[in-house]
Amino acid sequence: MSTPVQMTPPQASKKPAPHAQKEDAMLLQKEMINRNYHELATAHENGRKVAATFVPGNLNELVMCFDFARSLPETNALQNGMRKKSGKMIMDAERDGHSEDVCTYVKADLGMMLGGEIGPTGEKLPTPDLLLLSYTGCFTFMKWFELIRQKYNCETVMLHTPYQGDGKITQSMRDYVVKQLKQTVIPTMERVSGVKFDIDRLRQYMKESAKAEDDLVRVLQSAKNRPSPIDGYFGAVYYIGPIFTAFRGTPEATQYYDVLRREIDQRVREKKGPITPEGEMAEEKYRLVVEGPPNWTSFREFWKMFYDEGAVVVTSTYAKVGGVYDFGFRHDPDHPLESLADYCLGCYTNMNFPQRIDMICRYMDEYEADGLLINSIKSCNSFSAGQLLMLREVEKRTGKPAAFIESDLVDPRYFSAANIKNRLESYFQMIKQKRSVAGVTAGH
Amino acid sequence: MTTVQQIMERCQALFEDLHFNAVKQWKAAEPGRKAIGYMPVYVPREIVHAAGMLPVGIFGGGDQLEVIQGDAYYQSYICRIPRSTLEMGLTGRLDCLDGMLFPSLCDVIRNLSGMWQILFKDKYVRYIDVPQNYLDSVGGEFYIQEMQVLREDLGRLAGKPISDDALRASIAVYNDNRRAVQELYAYRARKPWQAPTSEVYLVIRAGMILPPQEHTQLVRDYIAAVDLENRPKRDNARVVLTGSFCEQPPLGLIKSIEMSGCYVVDDDFGLIHRWLLDEVPVTGDPLEELSKAFLHRSNQQASKYDEKKEDKGKLLVHSVKFYGAEGVIFAAPSFCDPALLERPMLQDVLSKQKIPYTAFKYAENTGQMAPIREQAGTFADSIKLWSAA
């Protein structure tokens, strides 16, 4: 499944762009990411074990209790996508027998292994000692780690998160996840790491998580202001990076979100728009909600299509893929395992379709959006299957126009800039027209 | 005695009827009867049956259904079965169903469960989650609870609770059905020239529509009738066909494989009939027994987690050996994540065992059979050449 995360600022496009403006928090995040890659690269020589896991259902606080260095294969794939390395990796995996029809995150990861496991920063990544298969919201995860296990014979432990088929989390679902944590996940981690589980250590990390989550929510919800001080999709992938990955629960993450919140609060006070790679956005013309992950291989080009037109994404479902915090959930140190279960169960793609549609409609209203844009990702059926119904339903319920574009996560063959640009331009025209019609009607 | 021709005509009619008239007739025979649809691969049909309802397998629209509305809901890179299933729903063909069950299989079918909730608000809809943790005290308890919810829901729909005795009786009915289907598979493996897969497949598909007792009788009638036939034995390659557990290949594709010189001696079509590998005890707590059967004695398939690396492909290799196959055909629907992600791992296992294989993709409405016939024919020839050497 597609998942967001830690990103270095986008690389320069072919035309030399103006000096990329960055928030302090972006720089801080870049340092954190690079440090984590270095820690991973040197983990084994420093006597540390390595655990790999996925972003949705990421049990970072728990994994840290066992001193594991933490690797997230989706993040590696997207980082390689941003650095234009994923295309070759995907083709290498296809030549090795993997179908052209399946998830390109998986193939980018397998292709990276075939190429000697050189990570995005150029350092060799270690073979994981443990694959923590957090099976949350995406079936492909299961096959992905089975494929890695097949190749490297890594120890694998499954955490099966039931799907919210009826649109709710039941006690039975919560109990099932907690029992797995107690009876299989924690004992396996103890055995592989040689570190005994300490629940107070977990509680401490979760306290840090909750603080960071408060700040993250405040940042994401700042987009309810006019103008929005952030871009809730392209900008948000920087903001969610630390908390969705190897940093949730660390004091560095708490510090990062504190710095970020202060920066954004300041921007709200100054009534400033979002910072784009080409500087602050001057005029906010369109406010959009976006469903679906971004394309990483042409991330900056994609973003530019929006800010050039004065379109700001006020919120996105993708920024909830590693945890839905804006409706009140926080990691709870008083109920640590139950809270981890609720976190896994509540991730965006683990919500059923009616819930996802309700959430988008609520966003459209609360963020005063002009419309919904769906970026449908070929690789990610978890997100994509059914999005055309979502589009109809949201249009029907909100009366706002919705549009549909298609791309892929990290396969450059599936990003057609001209097509997407055309569609976006037509869409912005449509919004403008709707507004003028509404204005005329209101005038009457 | 019923002849093979009569049986096949009946099966063919059931297979081709996308208006599900047999279901309508079953319902009309007694007032208040209800039918519940289910998609591949597995749901505990015993619970539906114990509620006095007819479980109806919805396995897509095949190659005879023109999909118009269904296509409007899916991008080009999504497989075909959800499109044709929606098409059938939106055109009223599934109105005879009082509910639909969507098993835990892949993201597409999972999301379809929510789409169904939105599009068919007056129907009962349930996503059937199955455990990927196989401890009785963990995954087992969760699964029992999931089944209990289904039992209570269907009890309400039926107007009376489902008793333990009713469940036990239904377990016995399905035990017998599984036995009959196993007999059929064993017979085909022994004499594939007598029971071609193009016929066996239709007999299996009939089990998606008929009440289980009736299907059990049909299977046994077919075995008895076909054994009386005198059909020519050919020097075909014996193959196991795998990857077709959800969206089904067109019947023409199965025929093409056979015409190209292959005897299919095992397959994963209609896997629900053989999902549980042996008898479910009819004593004790019925849901607990169904859970144990699922956790410890059920089939291996791509949507089910293999706890250990060495388990991967175990049943496939067993099937090759047990049924005396000489090779494996991977036939998966286009864009089928579980089958296509699983395939390289299974191929790796087969390579280590020196079992030859070939692979292709299809859609339920694939019309061009020549490339598949050529590929399967070349595969069969190469098997024969190798075995001759």
Side-chain angles (χ1 to χ4, degrees), chain B residues 275-281 288-298:
Chain B
W275 182 261
L276 302 181
L277 296 173
D278 58 14
E279 304 270 309
V280 180
E288 206 175 304
E289 294 301 343
L290 282 170
S291 168
K292 283 186 169 156
F294 180 90
L295 294 176
H296 310 301
R297 306 187 309 276
S298 64

Side-chain angles (χ1 to χ4, degrees), chain A residues 87 90-91 94 100 104 107 297 410-416:
Chain A
I90 290 165
M91 285 193 281
E94 288 175 359
E100 62 272 23
T104 54
K107 287 183 287 188
T297 50
V410 288
D411 191 339
R413 296 171 296 187
Y414 291 97
F415 185 83
S416 170

Side-chain angles (χ1 to χ4, degrees), chain A residues 305-324:
Chain A
M305 291 176 197
F306 289 72
Y307 62 72
D308 275 355
E309 297 285 340
V312 61
V313 181
V314 283
T315 192
S316 62
T317 54
Y318 183 66
K320 316 296 153 34
V321 77
V324 177

Side-chain angles (χ1 to χ4, degrees), chain B residues 146-293:
Chain B
E146 285 294 293
M147 288 192 286
Q148 182 61 26
V149 173
L150 179 65
R151 173 185 184 168
E152 287 167 13
D153 286 352
L154 294 184
R156 268 192 295 276
L157 203 58
K160 66 169 189 179
I162 302 171
S163 69
D164 280 358
D165 283 343
L167 275 170
R168 289 189 195 103
S170 295
I171 288 172
V173 165
Y174 278 100
N175 278 341
D176 196 30
N177 184 256
R178 261 190 302 279
R179 269 195 300 270
V181 171
Q182 292 292 9
E183 286 160 19
L184 174 61
Y185 271 66
Y187 180 85
R188 178 184 62 172
R190 270 198 318 277
K191 298 179 180 176
W193 58 93
Q194 288 291 110
T197 296
S198 50
E199 287 183 4
V200 170
Y201 177 72
L202 290 175
V203 172
I204 289 298
R205 283 293 296 264
M208 306 304 167
I209 305 291
L210 296 174
Q213 297 97 323
E214 216 176 307
H215 181 242
T216 304
Q217 191 56 51
L218 177 98
V219 171
R220 291 191 169 129
D221 288 349
Y222 172 76
I223 298 171
V226 89
D227 201 42
L228 297 175
E229 300 265 314
N230 186 16
R231 291 174 163 178
K233 183 179 175 183
R234 300 182 198 284
D235 184 26
N236 283 359
R238 296 169 63 90
V239 300
V240 170
L241 192 143
T242 187
S244 308
F245 46 81
C246 180
E247 181 177 321
Q248 302 289 285
L251 188 57
L253 190 147
I254 297 171
K255 287 179 178 166
S256 293
I257 290 173
E258 296 192 302
M259 282 163 61
S260 72
C262 293
Y263 282 140
V264 178
V265 293
D266 196 14
D267 60 62
D268 53 7
F269 307 134
L271 203 55
I272 189 164
H273 292 308
R274 301 191 303 144
W275 182 261
L276 302 181
L277 296 173
D278 58 14
E279 304 270 309
V280 180
V282 289
T283 52
D285 183 293
L287 295 187
E288 206 175 304
E289 294 301 343
L290 282 170
S291 168
K292 283 186 169 156

Side-chain angles (χ1 to χ4, degrees), chain B residues 113-129:
Chain B
S113 69
M115 294 171 72
W116 215 266
Q117 288 172 16
I118 292 166
L119 291 168
F120 305 99
K121 290 189 195 298
D122 57 331
K123 302 283 184 181
Y124 174 71
V125 181
R126 182 152 180 85
Y127 176 72
I128 303 289
D129 222 338

